[in-house]
């Protein structure tokens, strides 16, 4: 039970999360590239990014990630949305499942408002 959960947690944090972060960043680059703005690739990247953002809260809750582990992913989400939305609009769009993630999000959005 506990050993299997710890094993999965470590594998996800060390092997999957870095690749997930890179994938988020790649999608973000495609979405923000003005030359690609009207391409199918950009539209699909935006759609995938939105679905991943919505599913990310469930992943963070399921894995019970620490604040340090969650912070980087939440920063990418906020950075992605801050190009088109202001802090209150981002807050309305995102629905973290855990209070920990909600607090991190509030800190990130507070920094945007300054």
């Amino acid at each position: 039970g506990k050993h299997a959960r710890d094993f999965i947690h470590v594998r996800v944090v060390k092997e999957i999360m870095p690749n997930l972060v890179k994938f988020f960043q790649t999608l973000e680059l495609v979405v923000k590239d003005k030359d690609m703005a009207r391409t199918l690739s950009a539209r699909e990247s935006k759609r995938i990014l939105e679905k991943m953002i919505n599913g990310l809260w469930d992943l963070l809750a399921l894995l019970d990630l620490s604040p340090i582990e969650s912070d980087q992913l939440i920063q990418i989400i906020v950075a992605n949305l801050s190009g088109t939305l202001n802090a209150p609009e981002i807050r309305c769009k995102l629905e973290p499942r855990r209070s920990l993630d909600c607090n991190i999000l509030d800190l990130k959005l507070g920094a945007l408002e300054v």
Side-chain angles (χ1 to χ4, degrees):
K2 181 171 174 22
H3 294 296
R5 180 185 166 111
D6 290 344
F7 174 76
I8 291 170
H9 181 87
V10 169
R11 292 278 313 259
V12 167
V13 170
K14 291 188 177 184
E15 297 177 24
I16 295 172
M17 295 300 267
N19 292 324
L20 187 61
V21 168
K22 286 179 192 171
F23 187 65
F24 265 118
Q25 291 168 335
T26 302
L27 289 175
E28 189 175 11
L29 287 174
V30 172
V31 168
K32 290 186 176 183
D33 186 337
K34 292 185 191 265
D35 293 335
M36 294 185 67
R38 296 191 176 157
T39 65
L40 177 62
S41 177
R43 284 193 303 270
E44 286 300 306
S45 294
K46 184 173 182 165
R47 186 181 64 77
I48 292 168
L49 195 55
E50 287 176 0
K51 285 188 175 193
M52 286 183 69
I53 287 170
N54 290 333
L56 183 66
W57 303 117
D58 292 327
L59 178 67
L60 294 177
L62 178 70
L63 296 174
D64 195 27
L65 296 180
S66 73
I68 292 172
E69 296 163 340
S70 297
D71 185 82
Q72 187 178 18
L73 290 171
I74 294 172
Q75 177 61 43
I76 290 171
I77 293 169
V78 170
N80 175 265
L81 295 175
S82 66
T84 55
L85 302 172
N86 63 33
E89 292 170 330
I90 293 172
R91 187 69 186 102
C92 287
K93 183 176 179 111
L94 300 178
E95 299 175 11
R97 306 289 184 262
R98 303 183 304 166
S99 61
L100 169 76
D101 298 329
C102 190
N103 292 339
I104 293 170
L105 178 62
D106 288 342
L107 285 171
K108 302 286 181 193
L109 294 177
L112 284 180
E113 292 176 335
V114 174

